[in-house]
Amino acid sequence: MNSLHQNPGPQHWSGRKSEQKEYWYQWVDYQSNLQFQNEAGKKIGILGYPGEVGVRRNQGRPGTKDAPDLIRKFWGSSAYHLQKEIPIIDYGNILTLNNDLESTHEKITESVHSLLVSQHFPILLGGGHDLAYAHGKGIFRYLLPKGEKLGIINLDAHFDLRPLAQGMRHSGSPFSQLANEYSENFNYLVWGIQEAANSKSLFEIAKSVHAKFFTMEEIQSKSWEFMEQQLVAFMDSVNKIYLSIDLDGFSSAVAPGVSAPSPMGFSPEQAFKVLELIAKSKKLISMDIVELNPRFDQDNATARLAARCTEFVLRKTFG
């Protein structure tokens, strides 16, 4: 299998020195060789994916190699506010060898399934959004035998419902792959769609897979109460929620370090209302944050935003 695992370590986690455990980096443990802890009780499991093969296949800007470790760095320096003590384990990064994206995806799918079986709340740090195919597949593999219905909520400027490119998966195709493989169980909502970034044919594909979506025009013009009602109705229709946050959905003014930047994206204030609503549903089963591209970042603004999104969702979910 052409994938490689990189073990975690404290060199990727840092923060203000404190005799008391006041910052996230002080709460993180490390587990080598993807040996997932099986002790009873809920745990948070962190897995990095610094992959950019799917981005290159989608004609995006490569540069995600350092993304997961940068998110760890800024997340680790955040103040820790969880009310209940919960184990937090970093399992390292899954890399791609010889451009073999498919083998890497299978390793991620297996890892996500194992994390869920062992009572982890998985957090995947990317890396290209092709990660969502492997991530979602692992969740489906876990939930379908239980008869539980999964809802996918994607904060993104794009549908990511593109067809394969010459038969190959890429960062624009993850949700079309999930829709094809799990058509009867595919429940998908996208928040932040930009019409200028999605062709008419993509809107037709979204319609054909019964995707629900909010465009940026709707987000700007309609009341939060209206959007909240729609989001709650979607969440009420499913048993569990998989959250995917694509950093290119944010305005490039706050998130310049992405593969496909846009000046017309949503603000952190708008997005965090959605994140809080999802967290408080108590249905969130797993999440990822993707498309951080440190090569084009400015003063690590996008990496800091990614870390803050992660900390916020966990604080609202487990706080």
Side-chain angles (χ1 to χ4, degrees):
M1 177 176 284
N2 286 320
S3 63
L4 177 70
H5 176 250
Q6 181 184 60
N7 283 326
Q11 69 272 20
H12 303 306
W13 296 87
S14 60
R16 182 183 294 273
K17 295 194 183 308
S18 172
E19 293 183 4
Q20 297 179 318
K21 294 174 73 173
E22 295 188 305
Y23 300 95
W24 276 89
Y25 81 93
Q26 296 172 298
W27 290 89
V28 176
D29 292 322
Y30 312 100
Q31 187 69 49
S32 299
N33 304 319
L34 293 179
Q35 298 296 311
F36 301 114
Q37 292 189 15
N38 281 305
E39 290 81 359
K42 199 66 179 176
K43 300 169 283 291
I44 294 171
I46 304 160
L47 192 63
Y49 170 62
E52 61 182 25
V53 173
V55 175
R56 291 201 303 270
R57 290 181 183 178
N58 196 33
Q59 303 177 44
R61 304 190 299 181
T64 63
K65 178 172 65 72
D66 300 319
D69 290 342
L70 264 182
I71 297 174
R72 288 179 172 99
K73 174 184 175 181
F74 292 109
W75 176 10
S77 64
S78 302
Y80 180 90
H81 286 286
L82 300 194
Q83 298 301 311
K84 296 179 181 178
E85 189 170 325
I86 180 171
I88 303 161
I89 307 112
D90 186 357
Y91 290 99
N93 297 330
I94 294 180
L95 313 178
T96 301
L97 293 180
N98 303 319
N99 293 323
D100 187 355
L101 189 64
E102 291 68 25
S103 290
T104 305
H105 282 179
E106 184 53 38
K107 190 68 174 178
I108 292 169
T109 295
E110 292 173 2
S111 298
V112 168
H113 181 259
S114 296
L115 284 167
L116 292 170
V117 167
S118 54
Q119 294 184 277
H120 288 76
F121 178 85
I123 298 180
L124 276 65
L125 313 174
H129 211 168
D130 55 278
L131 169 66
Y133 169 62
H135 189 173
K137 192 172 180 179
I139 302 171
F140 275 119
R141 190 175 290 180
Y142 173 73
L143 285 182
L144 287 181
K146 297 172 173 288
E148 292 192 281
K149 187 175 179 181
L150 178 66
I152 302 170
I153 299 180
N154 180 25
L155 274 64
D156 199 340
H158 309 92
F159 285 115
D160 286 346
L161 287 167
R162 294 183 180 278
L164 300 182
Q166 298 179 328
M168 294 189 296
R169 60 187 71 165
H170 53 84
S171 65
S173 67
F175 298 108
S176 65
Q177 293 172 261
L178 291 174
N180 289 336
E181 293 185 29
Y182 301 97
S183 57
E184 295 182 3
N185 299 284
F186 185 68
N187 305 285
Y188 183 45
L189 184 149
V190 197
W191 191 89
I193 286 293
Q194 297 183 31
E195 293 195 46
N198 296 270
S199 65
K200 284 185 177 180
S201 63
L202 286 172
F203 277 89
E204 288 300 315
I205 292 172
K207 184 178 179 180
S208 72
V209 299
H210 307 290
K212 296 176 173 60
F213 59 89
F214 290 97
T215 66
M216 276 309 304
E217 286 85 351
E218 290 175 310
I219 292 168
Q220 300 289 5
S221 64
K222 293 187 177 179
S223 69
W224 167 246
E225 289 73 19
F226 171 80
M227 287 187 287
E228 183 179 26
Q229 289 174 356
Q230 301 299 308
L231 287 162
V232 168
F234 178 81
M235 291 189 290
D236 284 348
S237 71
V238 299
N239 301 114
K240 300 293 183 183
I241 295 165
Y242 156 36
L243 168 64
S244 189
I245 304 172
D246 188 327
L247 292 161
D248 73 24
F250 287 94
S251 166
S252 56
V254 296
V258 296
S259 176
S262 170
M264 302 305 294
F266 44 75
S267 69
E269 292 79 11
Q270 291 169 321
F272 276 41
K273 283 186 176 182
V274 178
L275 298 182
E276 183 168 17
L277 192 66
I278 295 169
K280 288 187 172 180
S281 74
K282 301 302 180 186
K283 293 185 176 184
L284 189 59
I285 189 173
S286 193
M287 70 172 283
D288 58 45
I289 188 156
V290 299
E291 295 291 343
L292 173 61
N293 192 327
R295 181 182 298 177
F296 299 98
D297 211 356
Q298 298 172 18
D299 193 29
N300 291 310
T302 317
R304 295 173 195 270
L305 177 61
R308 189 60 63 87
C309 288
T310 307
E311 183 277 332
F312 182 81
V313 171
L314 289 175
R315 175 157 43 90
K316 296 298 180 181
T317 302
F318 297 103

